Amino acid sequence: RPGAAEWVPAEADVDTLRRAAHDCHGCELWEPATQVVFSAGAVGGRLALVGEQPGDQEDRRGVPFVGPAGRLLQKAVAEAGIDVADTYVTNAVKHFRFTQAAPGNRRIHQTPELAHITACRPWLVAELQQVDPEVIVCLGATAAKALLPKDFRVTKHRGQAFSLATSRGPRTFLGTIHPSAVLRTPEPDRDAAYAGLVADLRVAAGVLA
Ligand code: URA
Ligand code: SF4
């Protein structure tokens, strides 16, 4: 698999990147998916939220975080004191990876492999270079694998802001759980999982303050 690099236009703004991504065949995920799901939100945003990959609803609508996980995330971001209008939202992998027992059956989410994360990473790097947020929040292990050091573990290092070198100079990064992990947490622990996500996002808010 070639990876996305040959489809990523150099020095292009986010709208140009978004348009170019429609043609990407950097890995095999483009084929069964409905469409590429690029990013949403403020291109001048001071905070970027990086998810895993589009889900079922995102794949149908072509917009990231419009399903249940997205609704939970939006609530958590607001509760953490972050202005939603100041956030840029994207995913580490831009096509929905799923399995389906038969056509017409429910599509079941499959976690992207390291090969997909690596293949798609040139889009993520290019868009973040354009947006140049002050703080980048990785939601879950997939986004962390795309952007954070190899030894980063969500369980161990979540909620810790640290500085990493980027092509624009040092920027603040932070990893936390994915909002889908909150939704998957069985009661009676779900409220605590949600509060943990909000607490981590508050750390990011504190950096911006
Ligand atoms: N989960 C993600 O990681 N991204 C989305 O866009 C939707 C759900
Ligand atoms: Fe290209 Fe990423 Fe889609 Fe793979 S997942 S085809 S690299 S946009």
Side-chain angles (χ1 to χ4, degrees):
R1 295 290 163 184
E6 64 184 87
W7 285 273
V8 180
E11 305 294 325
D13 62 24
V14 171
D15 284 333
T16 306
L17 292 169
R18 180 178 291 112
R19 263 181 272 118
H22 283 274
D23 299 325
C24 186
H25 290 184
C27 74
E28 78 282 6
L29 295 182
W30 69 272
E31 200 164 5
T34 308
Q35 60 189 318
V36 72
V37 178
F38 204 73
S39 64
V43 167
R46 295 174 67 208
L47 183 122
L49 296 159
V50 182
E52 180 195 74
Q53 63 170 354
D56 178 82
Q57 294 191 34
E58 289 80 11
D59 170 80
R60 293 172 199 280
R61 291 175 55 186
V63 184
F65 284 109
V66 290
R71 283 191 290 277
L72 186 135
L73 178 62
Q74 197 158 62
K75 190 165 162 261
V77 163
E79 217 166 300
I82 296 163
D83 183 359
V84 177
D86 203 16
T87 60
Y88 178 81
V89 183
T90 193
N91 283 303
V93 172
K94 285 165 170 67
H95 277 102
F96 179 36
R97 183 172 192 239
F98 60 94
T99 52
Q100 195 171 29
N105 280 26
R106 203 170 78 84
R107 303 187 300 173
I108 298 160
H109 164 277
Q110 267 194 305
T111 303
E113 291 170 8
L114 189 58
H116 304 121
I117 300 168
T118 305
C120 214
R121 193 172 180 277
W123 291 116
L124 184 60
V125 170
E127 65 188 315
L128 290 177
Q129 213 159 1
Q130 287 299 313
V131 176
D132 191 23
E134 290 165 49
V135 181
I136 296 163
V137 176
C138 293
L139 301 165
T142 294
K145 281 179 194 163
L147 294 175
L148 302 183
K150 238 175 115 66
D151 63 354
F152 179 89
R153 293 290 173 274
V154 174
T155 45
K156 254 184 153 168
H157 305 115
R158 61 178 293 185
Q160 299 176 17
F162 49 91
S163 182
L164 289 178
T166 76
S167 61
R168 305 259 190 172
R171 293 291 180 268
T172 301
F173 288 75
L174 180 145
T176 184
I177 56 169
H178 193 283
S180 296
V182 176
L183 293 173
R184 280 195 308 270
T185 304
E187 297 291 10
D189 300 325
R190 193 173 305 148
D191 286 356
Y194 175 75
L197 174 62
V198 173
D200 291 349
L201 291 170
R202 279 211 181 97
V203 175
V207 176
L208 293 176

